[in-house]
């Protein structure tokens, strides 16, 4: 077994953790209109549950508004019902042509809650990165018993630590950017 046989899966797991963090932070409402906050909202479409983006065009005409234009008139009520029942906490407005969602400005208390939620997501990603590093190092230690030279294992362990540090820094940067976005009034 080569050291890269342990390091490559670890790096892939770390990349997935960062990608998941990116995606979950995009869904956290930060006071600005962002079409991604609707990704988690599903509507009933002829018996199956699908994301709103599968049944309507979603656009962001300005910083505080999301416009949803359903492709079929029959979907207006379904989309409105899904938004009202979602965890967004926003009331949609319907003028018969377009459903508008106006993003209200966040209170200071709500901003702090969103930062806490974002920090928890970042911490979850860090745990995933640490677990990937631990799995790689355990695999390398077992490889010594199978004949891998100790100095090669030590070098690979150092490489695993460098990967870990790089992804931890990336997670911190992503969280700092989200925190700044949330706290910007």
């Amino acid at each position: 077994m080569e050291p890269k046989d342990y390091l490559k899966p670890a790096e892939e797991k770390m990349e997935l953790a960062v990608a998941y963090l990116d995606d979950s932070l995009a869904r956290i409402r930060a006071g600005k209109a962002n079409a991604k906050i609707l990704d988690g909202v599903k509507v009933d479409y002829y018996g199956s549950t699908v994301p709103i983006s599968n049944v309507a065009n979603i656009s962001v005409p300005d910083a505080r508004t999301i416009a949803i234009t359903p492709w079929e008139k029959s979907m207006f009520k379904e989309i409105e019902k899904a938004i009202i029942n979602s965890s967004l906490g926003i009331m949609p407005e319907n003028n018969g042509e377009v459903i508008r969602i106006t993003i209200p400005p966040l209170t200071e208390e709500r901003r702090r809650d969103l930062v806490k939620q974002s920090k928890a997501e970042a911490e979850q990603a860090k745990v995933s990165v640490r677990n990937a590093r631990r799995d790689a190092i355990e695999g390398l230690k077992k490889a010594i018993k199978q004949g891998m030279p100790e100095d090669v294992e030590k070098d690979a362990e150092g490489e695993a630590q460098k990967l870990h540090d790089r992804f931890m820094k990336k997670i911190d940067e992503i969280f700092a950017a989200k925190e700044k976005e949330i706290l910007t009034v």
Side-chain angles (χ1 to χ4, degrees):
M1 291 292 269
E2 291 284 316
K4 69 176 186 257
D5 296 335
Y6 298 100
L7 294 176
K8 193 70 180 149
E11 185 175 12
E12 288 169 4
K13 286 179 187 171
M14 292 177 188
E15 283 173 358
L16 284 173
V18 170
Y20 181 80
L21 173 67
D22 240 354
D23 190 48
S24 59
L25 289 183
R27 292 187 182 158
I28 295 177
R29 185 163 67 91
K32 284 190 203 125
N34 180 353
K36 280 210 178 238
I37 66 171
L38 295 174
D39 285 356
V41 181
K42 308 279 189 226
V43 294
D44 186 43
Y45 184 64
Y46 297 112
S48 61
T49 308
V50 297
I52 289 179
S53 59
N54 287 15
V55 297
N57 186 30
I58 301 172
S59 62
V60 183
D62 61 59
R64 293 252 181 245
T65 310
I66 298 173
I68 304 166
T69 312
W71 295 325
E72 299 173 26
K73 293 283 183 202
S74 61
M75 291 308 296
F76 273 97
K77 285 205 177 350
E78 288 293 330
I79 292 172
E80 277 189 311
K81 188 166 71 172
I83 293 169
I84 291 168
N85 294 336
S86 74
S87 61
L88 291 177
I90 302 172
M91 235 7 224
E93 302 163 17
N94 176 357
N95 68 3
E97 295 287 318
V98 177
I99 298 171
R100 292 192 190 286
I101 300 174
T102 305
I103 308 293
L106 297 172
T107 64
E108 190 59 38
E109 183 181 340
R110 182 73 178 131
R111 287 179 194 278
R112 279 195 297 269
D113 290 346
L114 290 175
V115 168
K116 275 185 196 167
Q117 185 181 345
S118 299
K119 190 166 184 67
E121 293 285 350
E123 198 51 49
Q124 190 108 24
K126 285 182 176 184
V127 168
S128 297
V129 169
R130 288 184 198 115
N131 288 342
R133 177 192 57 184
R134 185 196 64 223
D135 293 346
I137 290 174
E138 285 175 1
L140 288 164
K141 290 198 184 299
K142 287 179 186 167
I144 288 180
K145 294 175 185 159
Q146 297 168 355
M148 182 185 280
E150 266 188 51
D151 60 332
V152 172
E153 185 270 342
K154 283 291 178 208
D155 290 345
E157 230 178 90
E159 201 59 42
Q161 184 62 43
K162 284 179 189 169
L163 276 175
H164 166 271
D165 295 345
R166 190 175 88 217
F167 282 98
M168 288 300 215
K169 186 176 181 215
K170 197 179 283 188
I171 288 170
D172 286 337
E173 288 168 359
I174 291 170
F175 169 69
K178 186 65 178 182
E179 183 179 34
K180 183 180 179 197
E181 180 185 342
I182 291 171
L183 295 177
T184 301
V185 181

